[in-house]
Short mmCIF file of all heavy atoms in Angstrom, two decimals:
data_model
loop_
_atom_site.label_atom_id
_atom_site.label_comp_id
_atom_site.label_asym_id
_atom_site.label_seq_id
_atom_site.Cartn_x
_atom_site.Cartn_y
_atom_site.Cartn_z
N MET A 1381 -40.53 -0.15 10.59
CA MET A 1381 -39.30 -0.55 9.97
C MET A 1381 -38.08 0.06 10.64
O MET A 1381 -38.02 1.25 10.88
CB MET A 1381 -39.28 -0.06 8.49
CG MET A 1381 -38.94 -1.18 7.55
SD MET A 1381 -39.21 -0.57 5.89
CE MET A 1381 -37.77 -1.23 5.20
N ALA A 1382 -37.27 -0.77 11.14
CA ALA A 1382 -36.15 -0.29 11.89
C ALA A 1382 -34.87 -0.23 10.98
O ALA A 1382 -34.66 -1.22 10.28
CB ALA A 1382 -35.85 -1.28 13.01
N ILE A 1383 -34.40 0.94 10.92
CA ILE A 1383 -33.15 1.08 10.17
C ILE A 1383 -31.89 0.90 11.00
O ILE A 1383 -31.67 1.70 11.90
CB ILE A 1383 -33.13 2.45 9.46
CG1 ILE A 1383 -34.35 2.60 8.55
CG2 ILE A 1383 -31.87 2.55 8.62
CD1 ILE A 1383 -34.53 3.94 7.93
N LYS A 1384 -31.15 -0.08 10.71
CA LYS A 1384 -29.94 -0.28 11.47
C LYS A 1384 -28.85 0.60 10.94
O LYS A 1384 -28.50 0.61 9.81
CB LYS A 1384 -29.53 -1.72 11.31
CG LYS A 1384 -30.43 -2.71 12.11
CD LYS A 1384 -29.87 -4.13 12.05
CE LYS A 1384 -30.82 -5.05 12.73
NZ LYS A 1384 -30.36 -6.45 12.63
N SER A 1385 -28.42 1.41 11.91
CA SER A 1385 -27.33 2.28 11.46
C SER A 1385 -26.06 2.00 12.25
O SER A 1385 -25.60 2.78 13.04
CB SER A 1385 -27.78 3.78 11.63
OG SER A 1385 -28.13 3.95 12.99
N LYS A 1386 -25.64 0.84 12.10
CA LYS A 1386 -24.45 0.44 12.75
C LYS A 1386 -23.19 0.96 11.97
O LYS A 1386 -22.96 0.51 10.90
CB LYS A 1386 -24.32 -1.09 12.97
CG LYS A 1386 -24.99 -1.58 14.20
CD LYS A 1386 -24.65 -3.02 14.48
CE LYS A 1386 -25.30 -3.50 15.74
NZ LYS A 1386 -24.99 -4.88 15.95
N VAL A 1387 -22.50 1.80 12.62
CA VAL A 1387 -21.31 2.29 11.94
C VAL A 1387 -20.08 1.77 12.66
O VAL A 1387 -19.85 2.04 13.85
CB VAL A 1387 -21.32 3.90 11.98
CG1 VAL A 1387 -19.99 4.37 11.23
CG2 VAL A 1387 -22.51 4.38 11.25
N LYS A 1388 -19.38 0.98 11.95
CA LYS A 1388 -18.17 0.46 12.47
C LYS A 1388 -17.08 1.41 12.26
O LYS A 1388 -16.70 1.70 11.15
CB LYS A 1388 -17.83 -0.92 11.91
CG LYS A 1388 -18.83 -1.99 12.31
CD LYS A 1388 -18.42 -3.28 11.71
CE LYS A 1388 -19.43 -4.39 12.14
NZ LYS A 1388 -19.12 -5.68 11.51
N GLY A 1389 -16.52 1.85 13.36
CA GLY A 1389 -15.30 2.76 13.19
C GLY A 1389 -14.07 2.00 13.01
O GLY A 1389 -13.16 2.14 13.80
N LYS A 1390 -14.18 1.21 12.04
CA LYS A 1390 -13.04 0.22 11.87
C LYS A 1390 -11.93 0.97 10.97
O LYS A 1390 -10.82 0.95 11.36
CB LYS A 1390 -13.56 -0.98 11.16
CG LYS A 1390 -12.80 -2.17 11.53
CD LYS A 1390 -13.47 -3.40 10.94
CE LYS A 1390 -12.66 -4.65 11.24
NZ LYS A 1390 -13.31 -5.86 10.60
N LYS A 1391 -12.45 1.39 9.85
CA LYS A 1391 -11.41 1.90 8.97
C LYS A 1391 -11.39 3.43 8.97
O LYS A 1391 -11.54 4.15 8.01
CB LYS A 1391 -11.80 1.47 7.49
CG LYS A 1391 -11.70 0.00 7.24
CD LYS A 1391 -11.99 -0.36 5.86
CE LYS A 1391 -11.88 -1.90 5.74
NZ LYS A 1391 -12.29 -2.30 4.29
N LYS A 1392 -11.25 3.88 10.17
CA LYS A 1392 -11.14 5.36 10.30
C LYS A 1392 -9.79 5.90 9.88
O LYS A 1392 -9.71 6.82 9.22
CB LYS A 1392 -11.40 5.68 11.78
CG LYS A 1392 -12.15 6.98 11.88
CD LYS A 1392 -12.53 7.23 13.37
CE LYS A 1392 -13.36 8.54 13.48
NZ LYS A 1392 -13.70 8.78 14.95
N HIS A 1393 -8.81 5.25 10.47
CA HIS A 1393 -7.51 5.73 10.10
C HIS A 1393 -6.89 4.93 9.00
O HIS A 1393 -6.20 3.96 9.16
CB HIS A 1393 -6.51 5.62 11.30
CG HIS A 1393 -6.92 6.73 12.36
ND1 HIS A 1393 -6.46 8.00 12.22
CD2 HIS A 1393 -7.59 6.67 13.46
CE1 HIS A 1393 -6.84 8.68 13.21
NE2 HIS A 1393 -7.61 7.96 14.00
N LYS A 1394 -7.33 5.26 7.81
CA LYS A 1394 -6.85 4.51 6.65
C LYS A 1394 -5.80 5.30 6.05
O LYS A 1394 -5.93 6.46 5.73
CB LYS A 1394 -8.04 4.33 5.70
CG LYS A 1394 -7.84 3.17 4.79
CD LYS A 1394 -9.05 2.95 3.96
CE LYS A 1394 -8.92 1.75 3.13
NZ LYS A 1394 -10.07 1.56 2.23
N ASN A 1395 -4.79 4.60 5.75
CA ASN A 1395 -3.63 5.31 5.07
C ASN A 1395 -3.90 5.40 3.67
O ASN A 1395 -4.05 4.41 2.94
CB ASN A 1395 -2.33 4.54 5.29
CG ASN A 1395 -1.79 4.66 6.73
OD1 ASN A 1395 -2.06 5.79 7.37
ND2 ASN A 1395 -1.16 3.71 7.25
N LYS A 1396 -3.92 6.63 3.14
CA LYS A 1396 -4.08 6.80 1.75
C LYS A 1396 -2.79 7.33 1.13
O LYS A 1396 -2.48 8.47 1.32
CB LYS A 1396 -5.29 7.80 1.52
CG LYS A 1396 -6.59 7.22 1.81
CD LYS A 1396 -7.64 8.24 1.45
CE LYS A 1396 -9.01 7.70 1.76
NZ LYS A 1396 -10.04 8.65 1.50
N PRO A 1397 -2.12 6.39 0.47
CA PRO A 1397 -0.89 6.89 -0.06
C PRO A 1397 -1.13 7.68 -1.25
O PRO A 1397 -1.58 7.22 -2.28
CB PRO A 1397 -0.14 5.56 -0.43
CG PRO A 1397 -1.18 4.54 -0.45
CD PRO A 1397 -2.35 5.00 0.35
N THR A 1398 -0.82 8.94 -1.14
CA THR A 1398 -1.01 9.86 -2.31
C THR A 1398 0.34 9.96 -3.00
O THR A 1398 1.37 9.46 -2.60
CB THR A 1398 -1.47 11.21 -1.80
OG1 THR A 1398 -0.52 11.80 -0.90
CG2 THR A 1398 -2.80 11.19 -1.10
N SER A 1399 0.25 10.74 -4.07
CA SER A 1399 1.45 10.95 -4.81
C SER A 1399 2.49 11.70 -4.01
O SER A 1399 3.66 11.55 -4.17
CB SER A 1399 1.20 11.65 -6.11
OG SER A 1399 0.51 12.89 -5.77
N LYS A 1400 1.95 12.45 -3.06
CA LYS A 1400 2.90 13.22 -2.22
C LYS A 1400 3.65 12.29 -1.25
O LYS A 1400 4.81 12.55 -0.93
CB LYS A 1400 2.07 14.26 -1.42
CG LYS A 1400 1.73 15.44 -2.23
CD LYS A 1400 0.97 16.44 -1.35
CE LYS A 1400 0.48 17.61 -2.28
NZ LYS A 1400 -0.30 18.54 -1.48
N LYS A 1401 2.91 11.31 -0.87
CA LYS A 1401 3.47 10.40 0.10
C LYS A 1401 4.56 9.55 -0.50
O LYS A 1401 5.53 9.14 0.16
CB LYS A 1401 2.39 9.49 0.68
CG LYS A 1401 2.77 8.95 2.04
CD LYS A 1401 1.70 8.08 2.61
CE LYS A 1401 2.10 7.56 3.98
NZ LYS A 1401 1.09 6.72 4.51
N TYR A 1402 4.43 9.31 -1.72
CA TYR A 1402 5.45 8.49 -2.45
C TYR A 1402 6.78 9.19 -2.39
O TYR A 1402 7.78 8.50 -2.33
CB TYR A 1402 5.09 8.28 -3.88
CG TYR A 1402 4.08 7.16 -4.06
CD1 TYR A 1402 2.76 7.29 -3.88
CD2 TYR A 1402 4.57 5.90 -4.42
CE1 TYR A 1402 1.89 6.25 -4.11
CE2 TYR A 1402 3.72 4.80 -4.62
CZ TYR A 1402 2.40 5.00 -4.37
OH TYR A 1402 1.54 3.96 -4.56
N LYS A 1403 6.76 10.41 -2.34
CA LYS A 1403 8.01 11.16 -2.39
C LYS A 1403 8.73 11.03 -0.99
O LYS A 1403 9.92 11.27 -0.86
CB LYS A 1403 7.75 12.63 -2.68
CG LYS A 1403 7.42 12.87 -4.10
CD LYS A 1403 7.28 14.35 -4.32
CE LYS A 1403 6.86 14.53 -5.80
NZ LYS A 1403 6.60 15.97 -6.07
N LYS A 1404 7.88 10.68 -0.07
CA LYS A 1404 8.53 10.59 1.34
C LYS A 1404 9.21 9.29 1.47
O LYS A 1404 10.00 9.08 2.44
CB LYS A 1404 7.40 10.57 2.33
CG LYS A 1404 6.91 12.06 2.60
CD LYS A 1404 6.02 12.04 3.77
CE LYS A 1404 5.54 13.51 4.18
NZ LYS A 1404 4.67 13.45 5.30
N TYR A 1405 8.98 8.31 0.57
CA TYR A 1405 9.59 7.05 0.71
C TYR A 1405 11.06 7.15 0.23
O TYR A 1405 11.39 7.36 -0.90
CB TYR A 1405 8.89 5.98 -0.15
CG TYR A 1405 7.74 5.44 0.65
CD1 TYR A 1405 6.50 5.93 0.37
CD2 TYR A 1405 7.91 4.40 1.55
CE1 TYR A 1405 5.37 5.45 0.99
CE2 TYR A 1405 6.85 3.93 2.23
CZ TYR A 1405 5.55 4.39 1.93
OH TYR A 1405 4.49 3.91 2.67
N LYS A 1406 11.90 7.02 1.20
CA LYS A 1406 13.31 7.04 0.85
C LYS A 1406 13.93 5.76 1.24
O LYS A 1406 13.90 5.32 2.36
CB LYS A 1406 13.97 8.22 1.65
CG LYS A 1406 15.17 8.79 0.85
CD LYS A 1406 15.68 10.01 1.70
CE LYS A 1406 16.78 10.58 0.82
NZ LYS A 1406 17.42 11.77 1.59
N ILE A 1407 14.41 5.04 0.26
CA ILE A 1407 14.97 3.78 0.44
C ILE A 1407 16.37 3.98 0.99
O ILE A 1407 17.21 4.46 0.32
CB ILE A 1407 14.92 2.89 -0.84
CG1 ILE A 1407 13.69 3.05 -1.52
CG2 ILE A 1407 15.18 1.45 -0.39
CD1 ILE A 1407 12.48 2.50 -0.91
N GLU A 1408 16.59 3.52 2.19
CA GLU A 1408 17.98 3.62 2.72
C GLU A 1408 18.54 2.34 3.04
O GLU A 1408 17.90 1.45 3.60
CB GLU A 1408 17.87 4.47 4.02
CG GLU A 1408 17.44 5.85 3.82
CD GLU A 1408 17.29 6.67 5.08
OE1 GLU A 1408 17.79 6.16 6.11
OE2 GLU A 1408 16.64 7.71 5.11
N GLY A 1409 19.75 2.14 2.57
CA GLY A 1409 20.42 0.93 2.90
C GLY A 1409 20.06 -0.29 2.09
O GLY A 1409 20.14 -0.23 0.85
N GLU A 1410 19.67 -1.31 2.75
CA GLU A 1410 19.55 -2.57 2.10
C GLU A 1410 18.48 -2.60 0.92
O GLU A 1410 18.74 -3.21 -0.05
CB GLU A 1410 19.20 -3.66 3.14
CG GLU A 1410 18.44 -3.08 4.33
CD GLU A 1410 18.31 -4.11 5.43
OE1 GLU A 1410 18.90 -5.22 5.29
OE2 GLU A 1410 17.72 -3.78 6.49
N LYS A 1411 17.35 -2.05 1.23
CA LYS A 1411 16.23 -2.23 0.22
C LYS A 1411 16.39 -1.10 -0.75
O LYS A 1411 15.95 0.01 -0.59
CB LYS A 1411 14.96 -2.19 0.88
CG LYS A 1411 14.69 -3.39 1.75
CD LYS A 1411 13.52 -4.20 1.17
CE LYS A 1411 13.52 -5.62 1.72
NZ LYS A 1411 12.23 -6.09 1.98
N ILE A 1412 16.89 -1.46 -1.93
CA ILE A 1412 16.98 -0.44 -2.98
C ILE A 1412 16.13 -0.93 -4.12
O ILE A 1412 16.42 -1.87 -4.81
CB ILE A 1412 18.42 -0.26 -3.42
CG1 ILE A 1412 19.25 0.20 -2.21
CG2 ILE A 1412 18.44 0.80 -4.58
CD1 ILE A 1412 20.74 0.32 -2.55
N VAL A 1413 15.04 -0.22 -4.25
CA VAL A 1413 14.16 -0.56 -5.37
C VAL A 1413 14.00 0.66 -6.21
O VAL A 1413 13.25 1.61 -5.75
CB VAL A 1413 12.79 -1.05 -4.85
CG1 VAL A 1413 11.96 -1.54 -6.05
CG2 VAL A 1413 12.97 -2.20 -3.83
N SER A 1414 14.68 0.69 -7.27
CA SER A 1414 14.71 1.96 -8.02
C SER A 1414 13.34 2.41 -8.51
O SER A 1414 12.94 3.50 -8.37
CB SER A 1414 15.66 1.83 -9.24
OG SER A 1414 15.27 0.65 -9.94
N LYS A 1415 12.66 1.43 -9.11
CA LYS A 1415 11.34 1.78 -9.63
C LYS A 1415 10.20 1.03 -9.00
O LYS A 1415 9.09 1.10 -9.36
CB LYS A 1415 11.27 1.51 -11.12
CG LYS A 1415 11.57 2.72 -11.94
CD LYS A 1415 11.08 2.61 -13.35
CE LYS A 1415 11.16 3.93 -14.12
NZ LYS A 1415 10.56 3.85 -15.37
N GLY A 1416 10.61 0.23 -8.01
CA GLY A 1416 9.53 -0.53 -7.32
C GLY A 1416 9.06 -1.69 -8.19
O GLY A 1416 9.56 -1.93 -9.27
N ARG A 1417 8.04 -2.32 -7.67
CA ARG A 1417 7.49 -3.45 -8.41
C ARG A 1417 6.18 -3.11 -8.98
O ARG A 1417 5.38 -2.32 -8.33
CB ARG A 1417 7.33 -4.62 -7.46
CG ARG A 1417 7.29 -5.91 -8.17
CD ARG A 1417 6.99 -6.99 -7.21
NE ARG A 1417 8.06 -7.06 -6.23
CZ ARG A 1417 8.23 -8.18 -5.43
NH1 ARG A 1417 7.61 -9.28 -5.72
NH2 ARG A 1417 9.12 -8.17 -4.47
N ALA A 1418 5.94 -3.55 -10.12
CA ALA A 1418 4.63 -3.18 -10.78
C ALA A 1418 3.50 -4.01 -10.18
O ALA A 1418 3.71 -5.08 -9.69
CB ALA A 1418 4.64 -3.47 -12.28
N CYS A 1419 2.35 -3.39 -10.05
CA CYS A 1419 1.25 -4.01 -9.39
C CYS A 1419 0.71 -5.10 -10.35
O CYS A 1419 0.45 -4.96 -11.56
CB CYS A 1419 0.11 -2.99 -9.15
SG CYS A 1419 -1.35 -3.67 -8.47
N PRO A 1420 0.56 -6.33 -9.81
CA PRO A 1420 0.06 -7.46 -10.62
C PRO A 1420 -1.36 -7.30 -11.01
O PRO A 1420 -1.84 -7.92 -11.91
CB PRO A 1420 0.21 -8.65 -9.70
CG PRO A 1420 0.30 -8.08 -8.29
CD PRO A 1420 0.87 -6.66 -8.46
N ARG A 1421 -2.07 -6.40 -10.32
CA ARG A 1421 -3.48 -6.30 -10.64
C ARG A 1421 -3.69 -5.12 -11.65
O ARG A 1421 -4.42 -5.25 -12.54
CB ARG A 1421 -4.21 -5.87 -9.33
CG ARG A 1421 -4.54 -7.08 -8.48
CD ARG A 1421 -5.53 -6.71 -7.41
NE ARG A 1421 -5.48 -7.66 -6.31
CZ ARG A 1421 -6.15 -7.43 -5.16
NH1 ARG A 1421 -6.80 -6.39 -5.00
NH2 ARG A 1421 -6.08 -8.33 -4.26
N CYS A 1422 -2.97 -4.05 -11.33
CA CYS A 1422 -3.15 -2.87 -12.21
C CYS A 1422 -2.30 -2.98 -13.47
O CYS A 1422 -2.46 -2.26 -14.43
CB CYS A 1422 -2.72 -1.62 -11.44
SG CYS A 1422 -3.80 -1.36 -9.95
N GLY A 1423 -1.26 -3.78 -13.35
CA GLY A 1423 -0.42 -3.96 -14.50
C GLY A 1423 0.79 -2.95 -14.46
O GLY A 1423 0.91 -2.17 -13.55
N PRO A 1424 1.60 -3.13 -15.49
CA PRO A 1424 2.79 -2.21 -15.55
C PRO A 1424 2.40 -0.75 -15.61
O PRO A 1424 1.36 -0.42 -16.22
CB PRO A 1424 3.49 -2.66 -16.81
CG PRO A 1424 2.46 -3.39 -17.62
CD PRO A 1424 1.46 -3.95 -16.62
N GLY A 1425 3.17 0.03 -14.99
CA GLY A 1425 2.83 1.50 -14.95
C GLY A 1425 2.36 1.86 -13.53
O GLY A 1425 2.66 2.96 -13.09
N ILE A 1426 1.72 0.96 -12.90
CA ILE A 1426 1.35 1.21 -11.49
C ILE A 1426 2.31 0.53 -10.58
O ILE A 1426 2.40 -0.72 -10.62
CB ILE A 1426 -0.06 0.72 -11.21
CG1 ILE A 1426 -1.06 1.37 -12.21
CG2 ILE A 1426 -0.44 1.12 -9.75
CD1 ILE A 1426 -1.17 2.85 -12.14
N PHE A 1427 3.08 1.24 -9.85
CA PHE A 1427 4.12 0.62 -9.00
C PHE A 1427 3.60 0.59 -7.55
O PHE A 1427 2.81 1.37 -7.05
CB PHE A 1427 5.37 1.44 -9.02
CG PHE A 1427 6.00 1.32 -10.44
CD1 PHE A 1427 5.81 2.39 -11.37
CD2 PHE A 1427 6.73 0.22 -10.84
CE1 PHE A 1427 6.41 2.26 -12.60
CE2 PHE A 1427 7.28 0.12 -12.06
CZ PHE A 1427 7.11 1.17 -12.99
N LEU A 1428 4.15 -0.43 -6.93
CA LEU A 1428 3.87 -0.65 -5.49
C LEU A 1428 4.74 0.19 -4.61
O LEU A 1428 5.91 0.29 -4.89
CB LEU A 1428 4.04 -2.13 -5.10
CG LEU A 1428 3.21 -3.13 -5.92
CD1 LEU A 1428 3.57 -4.54 -5.57
CD2 LEU A 1428 1.70 -2.87 -5.76
N ALA A 1429 4.15 0.72 -3.62
CA ALA A 1429 4.97 1.56 -2.69
C ALA A 1429 5.63 0.60 -1.63
O ALA A 1429 4.94 -0.37 -1.20
CB ALA A 1429 4.09 2.53 -2.01
N GLN A 1430 6.85 0.85 -1.40
CA GLN A 1430 7.53 0.02 -0.37
C GLN A 1430 7.21 0.55 0.96
O GLN A 1430 7.50 1.70 1.30
CB GLN A 1430 9.03 0.08 -0.68
CG GLN A 1430 9.39 -0.47 -2.03
CD GLN A 1430 9.08 -1.91 -2.17
OE1 GLN A 1430 9.43 -2.67 -1.32
NE2 GLN A 1430 8.45 -2.30 -3.25
N ALA A 1431 6.75 -0.30 1.82
CA ALA A 1431 6.47 0.04 3.20
C ALA A 1431 6.99 -1.10 4.07
O ALA A 1431 6.34 -2.03 4.29
CB ALA A 1431 4.95 0.29 3.39
N GLY A 1432 8.13 -0.83 4.53
CA GLY A 1432 8.73 -1.87 5.36
C GLY A 1432 9.05 -3.12 4.58
O GLY A 1432 9.75 -3.08 3.59
N ASN A 1433 8.38 -4.19 4.97
CA ASN A 1433 8.60 -5.40 4.26
C ASN A 1433 7.40 -5.77 3.34
O ASN A 1433 7.14 -6.84 2.98
CB ASN A 1433 8.83 -6.61 5.24
CG ASN A 1433 7.66 -6.85 6.13
OD1 ASN A 1433 6.85 -5.97 6.25
ND2 ASN A 1433 7.49 -8.01 6.64
N ARG A 1434 6.70 -4.65 3.03
CA ARG A 1434 5.51 -4.88 2.18
C ARG A 1434 5.57 -4.01 1.00
O ARG A 1434 6.11 -2.92 0.99
CB ARG A 1434 4.20 -4.57 3.01
CG ARG A 1434 3.87 -5.67 3.93
CD ARG A 1434 2.77 -5.14 4.85
NE ARG A 1434 3.23 -4.05 5.68
CZ ARG A 1434 2.41 -3.36 6.40
NH1 ARG A 1434 1.11 -3.59 6.42
NH2 ARG A 1434 2.89 -2.42 7.14
N SER A 1435 4.88 -4.38 -0.02
CA SER A 1435 4.72 -3.59 -1.14
C SER A 1435 3.22 -3.31 -1.24
O SER A 1435 2.36 -4.20 -1.14
CB SER A 1435 5.18 -4.29 -2.41
OG SER A 1435 6.53 -4.52 -2.32
N TYR A 1436 2.89 -2.04 -1.49
CA TYR A 1436 1.48 -1.69 -1.42
C TYR A 1436 1.05 -0.87 -2.67
O TYR A 1436 1.78 0.03 -3.06
CB TYR A 1436 1.28 -0.83 -0.10
CG TYR A 1436 -0.19 -0.29 -0.02
CD1 TYR A 1436 -1.16 -1.12 0.42
CD2 TYR A 1436 -0.43 1.01 -0.29
CE1 TYR A 1436 -2.45 -0.72 0.44
CE2 TYR A 1436 -1.73 1.47 -0.15
CZ TYR A 1436 -2.72 0.66 0.24
OH TYR A 1436 -4.01 1.06 0.37
N CYS A 1437 -0.01 -1.24 -3.19
CA CYS A 1437 -0.57 -0.47 -4.33
C CYS A 1437 -1.58 0.51 -3.87
O CYS A 1437 -2.61 0.11 -3.23
CB CYS A 1437 -1.18 -1.43 -5.34
SG CYS A 1437 -1.92 -0.61 -6.76
N GLY A 1438 -1.39 1.70 -4.12
CA GLY A 1438 -2.28 2.79 -3.66
C GLY A 1438 -3.57 2.84 -4.58
O GLY A 1438 -4.47 3.53 -4.17
N LYS A 1439 -3.51 2.12 -5.67
CA LYS A 1439 -4.63 2.19 -6.56
C LYS A 1439 -5.70 1.13 -6.21
O LYS A 1439 -6.87 1.41 -6.07
CB LYS A 1439 -4.18 1.98 -7.96
CG LYS A 1439 -5.16 2.53 -8.99
CD LYS A 1439 -4.66 2.33 -10.37
CE LYS A 1439 -5.67 2.81 -11.40
NZ LYS A 1439 -5.32 2.55 -12.76
N CYS A 1440 -5.23 -0.12 -6.08
CA CYS A 1440 -6.24 -1.16 -5.89
C CYS A 1440 -6.02 -1.83 -4.48
O CYS A 1440 -6.67 -2.75 -4.13
CB CYS A 1440 -6.04 -2.29 -6.94
SG CYS A 1440 -4.55 -3.22 -6.81
N HIS A 1441 -5.11 -1.20 -3.73
CA HIS A 1441 -4.88 -1.65 -2.32
C HIS A 1441 -4.33 -3.04 -2.28
O HIS A 1441 -4.61 -3.73 -1.31
CB HIS A 1441 -6.18 -1.52 -1.50
CG HIS A 1441 -6.74 -0.13 -1.56
ND1 HIS A 1441 -6.28 0.82 -0.72
CD2 HIS A 1441 -7.78 0.36 -2.27
CE1 HIS A 1441 -7.04 1.91 -1.04
NE2 HIS A 1441 -7.87 1.66 -1.97
N PHE A 1442 -3.69 -3.39 -3.21
CA PHE A 1442 -2.99 -4.70 -3.27
C PHE A 1442 -1.75 -4.57 -2.31
O PHE A 1442 -1.03 -3.70 -2.41
CB PHE A 1442 -2.59 -5.09 -4.64
CG PHE A 1442 -1.74 -6.26 -4.72
CD1 PHE A 1442 -2.26 -7.58 -4.70
CD2 PHE A 1442 -0.32 -6.20 -4.85
CE1 PHE A 1442 -1.48 -8.71 -4.77
CE2 PHE A 1442 0.48 -7.32 -4.89
CZ PHE A 1442 -0.07 -8.51 -4.85
N THR A 1443 -1.70 -5.67 -1.52
CA THR A 1443 -0.49 -5.65 -0.61
C THR A 1443 0.29 -6.98 -0.83
O THR A 1443 -0.24 -8.02 -0.73
CB THR A 1443 -0.92 -5.53 0.92
OG1 THR A 1443 -1.79 -4.42 0.99
CG2 THR A 1443 0.26 -5.33 1.77
N GLU A 1444 1.57 -6.75 -0.92
CA GLU A 1444 2.40 -7.98 -1.15
C GLU A 1444 3.47 -7.98 -0.18
O GLU A 1444 4.13 -6.97 0.05
CB GLU A 1444 2.94 -7.94 -2.57
CG GLU A 1444 3.71 -9.19 -2.91
CD GLU A 1444 4.21 -9.17 -4.30
OE1 GLU A 1444 5.17 -8.35 -4.55
OE2 GLU A 1444 3.71 -9.84 -5.25
N PHE A 1445 3.62 -9.13 0.48
CA PHE A 1445 4.76 -9.21 1.55
C PHE A 1445 6.01 -9.67 0.84
O PHE A 1445 6.05 -10.56 -0.05
CB PHE A 1445 4.35 -10.15 2.56
CG PHE A 1445 3.33 -9.64 3.53
CD1 PHE A 1445 1.94 -9.68 3.17
CD2 PHE A 1445 3.74 -8.96 4.61
CE1 PHE A 1445 0.99 -9.13 3.97
CE2 PHE A 1445 2.76 -8.43 5.50
CZ PHE A 1445 1.42 -8.57 5.18
N GLU A 1446 7.08 -9.07 1.27
CA GLU A 1446 8.35 -9.44 0.77
C GLU A 1446 8.78 -10.84 1.37
O GLU A 1446 8.56 -11.08 2.50
CB GLU A 1446 9.45 -8.40 1.18
CG GLU A 1446 9.18 -7.11 0.59
CD GLU A 1446 9.69 -7.02 -0.86
OE1 GLU A 1446 10.61 -7.75 -1.21
OE2 GLU A 1446 9.19 -6.28 -1.67
N ARG A 1447 9.29 -11.59 0.48
CA ARG A 1447 9.81 -12.85 0.98
C ARG A 1447 11.32 -12.84 1.10
O ARG A 1447 12.04 -12.24 0.28
CB ARG A 1447 9.50 -13.93 0.00
CG ARG A 1447 8.01 -14.26 -0.01
CD ARG A 1447 7.71 -15.46 -1.00
NE ARG A 1447 6.39 -15.35 -1.49
CZ ARG A 1447 6.06 -16.13 -2.58
NH1 ARG A 1447 6.93 -16.77 -3.18
NH2 ARG A 1447 4.84 -16.10 -3.02
N LYS A 1448 11.78 -13.41 2.16
CA LYS A 1448 13.13 -13.47 2.33
C LYS A 1448 13.69 -14.96 2.20
O LYS A 1448 13.32 -15.75 3.07
CB LYS A 1448 13.57 -12.99 3.78
CG LYS A 1448 13.53 -11.47 3.75
CD LYS A 1448 14.13 -10.95 5.13
CE LYS A 1448 14.17 -9.39 5.09
NZ LYS A 1448 14.77 -8.93 6.35
N ASP A 1449 14.40 -15.14 1.16
CA ASP A 1449 14.90 -16.40 0.93
C ASP A 1449 16.44 -16.45 1.08
O ASP A 1449 17.09 -15.62 0.53
CB ASP A 1449 14.51 -16.94 -0.45
CG ASP A 1449 13.07 -17.32 -0.47
OD1 ASP A 1449 12.61 -17.90 0.50
OD2 ASP A 1449 12.39 -17.04 -1.52
ZN1 LIG B 381 -2.86 -2.17 -8.05
#
């Protein structure tokens, strides 16, 4: 019996937004989101972290792209 032990080093550098990291997010200039957006999956109370033009949920890893209209 051959045991395949293929380890894909794919998700090695995974960003884990911790509560500490949230403090690092400083909204400067145009994007001012006082409380952020609530996660549609986790519901109200869990807010998405703003990362560039994306919103990211550190709990369920939901990522939402900002739309510019
Ligand atoms: Zn979530």
Side-chain angles (χ1 to χ4, degrees):
M1381 231 170 133
I1383 300 173
K1384 288 182 181 177
S1385 57
K1386 272 190 179 178
V1387 180
K1388 290 182 181 177
K1390 211 174 178 184
K1391 295 181 178 177
K1392 212 173 183 182
H1393 287 280
K1394 203 175 184 185
N1395 286 328
K1396 288 183 180 177
T1398 61
S1399 56
K1400 284 181 183 175
K1401 202 177 179 184
Y1402 274 84
K1403 289 181 181 177
K1404 281 189 177 179
Y1405 278 97
K1406 213 176 182 183
I1407 319 291
E1408 293 174 18
E1410 28 190 4
K1411 292 245 164 144
I1412 300 173
V1413 186
S1414 55
K1415 263 201 170 184
R1417 204 186 298 203
C1419 178
R1421 283 191 199 172
C1422 299
I1426 307 297
F1427 293 100
L1428 303 176
Q1430 299 295 312
N1433 62 341
R1434 285 170 295 171
S1435 300
Y1436 177 76
C1437 176
K1439 198 178 179 187
C1440 70
H1441 304 279
F1442 171 82
T1443 308
E1444 187 178 72
F1445 285 85
E1446 295 279 334
R1447 289 185 206 163
K1448 283 190 176 180
D1449 285 322

